[in-house]
Amino acid sequence: MSGQLSVGLNCPSCGGAISVSEGESSLNCRYCGSTLYIEGDNGVNTVAFKNKLDRDAAIKATKAWWRKGFKARDLKSAGAITEVYPIYLPFWSIGTRVAGWVCGYEEKTTTDSKGNTRTEREYKEEMVLMDLSFSEIACDPGDLGIRSLRNFNGEASFEDMDMIPSFESTTSRDDAMAHARADAMARGRASARIPNITFESLHVLVRKLSMIYYPVWVARYTYQDRMYIATVDGVTGQMLSGRAPGDPLYQSLAVTAGTSLGGLAAAGGIIAAFTFQSEIGIAGVILGLIVLGGTYWFFRHGSEIIEGDFADRKQLASLKKGQLGSLLGGARI
Amino acid sequence: MKVTLVKCPKCELPLYMETQDEFFYCSHCGTIHTRNGPKVERIPYEIADFRPDAQTDNRVYVPFWRLHTDFRIKSRDVKGGFFNKIGQALKGGDKGASIYIYVPASQMETAAFRYWSVNLTINNPRYSARTDFAGTPRMPATTTRDEAIELADFVAVTLEAEKPGTLQYLDYTLTVNEAKVVYLPFMSSRSGLHLAV
Ligand SMILES: [Zn+2]
């Protein structure tokens, strides 16, 4: 998978230099043939991936990213990069195999020509057997917007670690293992695609656990006196995360559409509710309020384009699922 | 990281293995052991002989965990198929069966893993045992005893699920009485592995 890595380790028998790959726990010395056992600190093997980017490449990638999507159209001329630097971030890299069975049924409702509905159960039994990769950042990522790895391949080498500052790992191996197991369970269960589960027996095996120090370039830039950040993958050169100003034109279009639609629906709903006392009316009011709320949210936060795992982006996702749902639930009473 | 010289836990001689393998095999006394940090565990094992007419080219030994288990079904619910009726009769539990479950100890792709574990468990291979590998290469082992026990549970449920009808519920117990490694003889070819007992 990943390349060989010389970590300044020597064969205890002949003194020859040895190289270890990620996740490897035993090897035979290529000079004297002795069989050797590698014991990671606290059972964790560590590798670092070689940084493949320079400052110019990181700036180029950031500027190319500025031109994509609904970002401010004058960003490429008005944006000014203030600092660009590489860092090493530690990640837990865990390979799992999930094996088991998920059984249950799916309900299918059909309506015949007379309007009679019938619900039938389609019974299912699905085997789950897959190998999965899980990664999780092993330190506090701060405002970088990075939580997991997308790339697990790289040239393993510790030589850049003298030059590039690296974050200490601060999270525990056991927590990371527990997260990897939960992730494998959830992905295994989801792969069975059974809406109503009546029986489930899933086993997760941890096949490989290591710590990867991954090179990331951080670019900070300004646009109209505001500070923004972007990060670039130091191995692949891809964008990892970033914040950028949105385009005012797209925003005003969205806000206009949102308020008029929301207002119409709410107003129509109130009239309908008073006139017919119908449920449609109440639903209209609720729908209108949601659209208005969404527009307000976009107006406040949508002025920024956010890509990556930033904490405030997560809030939007949970707001959609949680608060909107409870708003609906509350409105129904 | 720390590097230690691997020595046989029985005769204490250093090992010089030809391939990279987590099952450390001592060619002096035949002991196989595994390591997990400072913990050393001896692995009981058997070597099955190749059938007399097997070719001498492309031979390989593949390690399997052979788990002697008691598989007891307390109740099951199967929709459709033959077991629909039998399922009812089974409520209250059956006597349970004593079965040998085979779990590959080497890293295998999921399809091969499923094929060999199910097939060897349904048709336990019959072989005569020998005391050494006679220079035949071994496939490296990666699966620990505890992992094999977890996977045996998966194999047992697979046996039930692959019977006719759609499994909806299974209440069972699986007790492992003994875990042993069996090196089974295979011929490897471009089409895959072929059992040669
Ligand atoms: Zn020995």
Side-chain angles (χ1 to χ4, degrees), chain A residues 7 9 12-13 18 24-28 32-41 45-46 97 99-101 103-105 123-125 127-131 198-199 201 203 205-207, chain B residues 1-6 15-22 24 35-38 79 107-110 113-114 142-143 147 150-151 153-154 157-158 161-162 165-170 172:
Chain A
V7 276
L9 295 177
S13 179
I18 58 169
E24 215 169 61
S25 65
S26 75
L27 60 96
N28 302 312
C32 72
S34 297
T35 297
L36 308 173
Y37 179 67
I38 316 296
E39 216 179 307
D41 304 322
N45 289 5
T46 306
R97 172 170 286 188
W101 285 84
C103 303
Y105 58 88
Y123 295 104
K124 291 169 182 264
E125 49 175 15
M127 178 188 272
V128 175
L129 187 56
M130 5 185 233
D131 292 332
T198 54
F199 172 76
S201 166
H203 303 271
L205 305 188
V206 174
R207 314 229 87 178
Chain B
M1 287 194 270
K2 201 173 92 188
V3 187
T4 36
L5 205 57
V6 178
L15 303 191
Y16 296 91
M17 300 217 303
E18 273 162 28
T19 49
Q20 204 176 341
D21 196 332
E22 287 174 34
F24 298 111
R35 282 169 189 250
N36 182 8
K79 301 293 182 196
Q107 188 97 340
M108 273 187 200
E109 287 198 11
T110 52
F113 172 87
R114 175 187 182 173
T142 52
T143 308
E147 289 172 336
E150 288 236 13
L151 291 168
D153 193 278
F154 162 72
V157 177
T158 302
E162 294 205 329
T166 310
L167 185 67
Q168 287 293 285
Y169 181 73
L170 193 66
Y172 65 97

Side-chain angles (χ1 to χ4, degrees), chain B residues 8 10-13 15 26 28-31:
Chain B
C8 172
K10 192 178 173 207
C11 71
E12 300 198 337
L13 286 169
L15 303 191
C26 172
H28 296 279
C29 71
T31 301

